[in-house]
Amino acid sequence: MHAAVIQASDAPPVYRDHPDPAPRHGDELVVEVLAAGLHHLTRAKANGSHYSSGGAYPLVPGVDGVVRDEEGNVRYVVLDDTALGTFAERTLIDPRRSVILPGGIDPVRIAAAMNPAMSSWVALRRRVDFHAGQRVLVLGATGNAGRMAVQIAKLFGAAQVIAAGRDTTRLRALTALGADETIAYDRIGQAADVDVVIDYVWGELAAGAMIPMLTARADRTAPLTWIQIGSIAGQTAPIPSAALRSARMRIVGSGIGSVPARDFLAELPELAAAVTAGAIDVRARAVPLAQVAQAWTTESDDRVVLVP
Ligand SMILES: NC(=O)c1ccc[n+]([C@@H]2O[C@H](COP(=O)([O-])OP(=O)(O)OC[C@H]3O[C@@H](n4cnc5c(N)ncnc54)[C@H](OP(=O)(O)O)[C@@H]3O)[C@@H](O)[C@H]2O)c1
């Protein structure tokens, strides 16, 4: 079969022949890959920079995707740590890490949506006691995950969703997706009275936003949960000590590990149904798997989805 193969942590994938997969035990299925998203996690796992990277090469990247099993079921699957990912014509899956999708779905749309959408869906369901009527601030709202966080917070009944980002044109577009307010980072003090922050940026940007926000809160003793999800602006954040004293803020993370795999898997069916039903707007761009080398190194606003 054909697959994208990475030989070393700093090498881009090469499209080439690769041995066909063979099940190693009875729980594994060989499946045909229909579509697989090129997410930040895909790159970070492949180059060894993600905390869950396996570090073994050669490696076929691809952490999730839409696949067809031998019985014709179309599934969305999240792979465990493996050297044989979804950037291949065929791969191996554990069906317990998958959900069967209804007929007629668009594999590209599902493959683009599930990873970025899962980040806020699982965070709000599994990392905080979120309830309808609460107010949410999304930092990094113009990215794929941020746009979905705006929509998912609304879907879960948020009374107010404030979308924060750098790009005012892109920010404005979020109003049509449900954002009640959009705000540039230098005005973050105006987004002070929220219950939950969904943070995709981290770094100095997030740390710098804390004091202006916290000191502007109408009631500093009102609980605020800052959910750390992405680190697009920096892996480390110099959090001022006063941020943790001056208001009733707690910081939690949400990702693989802080949320058990079983909890991610338990949320898959409902999220897949929401994406399938069109409840979440998705930006997707299909690219043939043969063009993986170019796609790997090219920036794209739309989520690139590789199609074997
Ligand atoms: N923990 C989880 O479960 C989970 C799941 C999915 C994603 N993530 C993480 O969440 C983050 C966002 O993912 P994504 O899929 O939304 O990525 P994306 O689609 O590439 O969007 C990232 C956005 O961040 C903004 N940005 C880039 N560099 C920035 C900087 N230096 N300072 C401020 N903003 C910057 C850009 O928006 P503008 O150019 O419009 O400002 C960009 O659109 C990534 O770190 C990803 O790894 C985590």
Side-chain angles (χ1 to χ4, degrees):
M1 69 168 182
H2 283 100
V5 182
I6 294 181
Q7 292 291 357
S9 62
D10 56 353
V14 174
Y15 182 70
R16 63 165 218 206
D17 279 334
H18 193 73
D20 252 295
R24 291 160 295 196
H25 49 77
D27 290 335
E28 280 186 330
L29 297 181
V30 177
V31 293
E32 175 194 356
V33 179
L34 304 179
L38 176 46
H39 313 296
H40 287 278
L41 178 63
T42 318
R43 284 197 182 88
K45 275 192 97 128
N47 68 23
S49 63
H50 195 264
Y51 59 84
S52 67
S53 297
Y57 298 94
L59 168 84
V60 173
V63 294
D64 68 346
V66 178
V67 301
R68 187 186 290 118
D69 67 24
E70 283 176 343
E71 290 170 1
N73 296 311
V74 174
R75 298 170 180 265
Y76 169 73
V77 66
V78 181
L79 298 186
D80 205 352
D81 201 14
T82 174
L84 177 58
T86 47
F87 285 18
E89 289 177 305
R90 284 174 287 286
T91 194
L92 287 174
I93 68 159
D94 177 342
R96 292 168 299 191
R97 298 179 64 93
S98 75
V99 51
I100 294 180
L101 299 167
I105 58 104
D106 175 358
V108 170
R109 203 165 164 276
I110 298 279
M114 291 296 280
N115 168 277
M118 184 67 80
S119 65
S120 55
W121 184 289
V122 163
L124 290 175
R125 282 272 172 89
R126 302 279 171 166
R127 292 299 278 146
V128 282
D129 184 19
F130 180 76
H131 52 265
Q134 290 193 315
R135 297 154 302 176
V136 176
L137 168 66
V138 181
L139 300 182
T142 54
N144 282 285
R147 292 172 85 248
M148 290 178 182
V150 168
Q151 300 174 74
I152 286 164
K154 275 297 196 191
L155 209 60
F156 289 174
Q160 187 189 24
V161 177
I162 306 174
R166 311 183 285 188
D167 185 313
T168 46
T169 311
R170 282 194 197 151
L171 272 176
R172 268 196 297 276
L174 296 175
T175 307
L177 298 180
D180 298 288
E181 263 181 67
T182 60
I183 197 164
Y185 293 123
D186 57 3
R187 291 195 298 120
I188 207 74
Q190 292 170 24
D193 290 311
V194 294
D195 304 292
V196 176
V197 177
I198 297 180
D199 178 3
Y200 290 105
V201 296
W202 203 236
E204 295 199 359
L205 204 163
M210 286 177 184
I211 295 292
M213 264 192 75
L214 298 174
T215 52
R217 279 169 82 72
D219 176 4
R220 292 205 210 169
T221 65
L224 167 67
T225 307
W226 193 291
I227 317 180
Q228 202 298 308
I229 302 186
S231 41
I232 205 86
Q235 293 292 330
T236 54
I239 295 167
S241 59
L244 296 166
R245 294 194 304 268
S246 59
R248 196 159 163 220
M249 175 178 73
R250 66 185 185 120
I251 303 174
V252 303
S254 184
I256 303 164
S258 59
V259 179
R262 64 174 178 278
D263 289 6
F264 271 103
L265 296 171
E267 296 295 340
L268 282 183
E270 212 183 319
L271 173 57
V275 175
T276 305
I280 299 171
D281 184 71
V282 180
R283 289 191 313 207
R285 183 158 70 85
V287 173
L289 182 59
Q291 294 171 19
V292 63
Q294 194 192 348
W296 193 264
T297 51
T298 308
E299 294 287 321
S300 168
D301 286 347
D302 297 334
R303 181 53 37 95
V304 166
V305 174
L306 292 156
V307 180

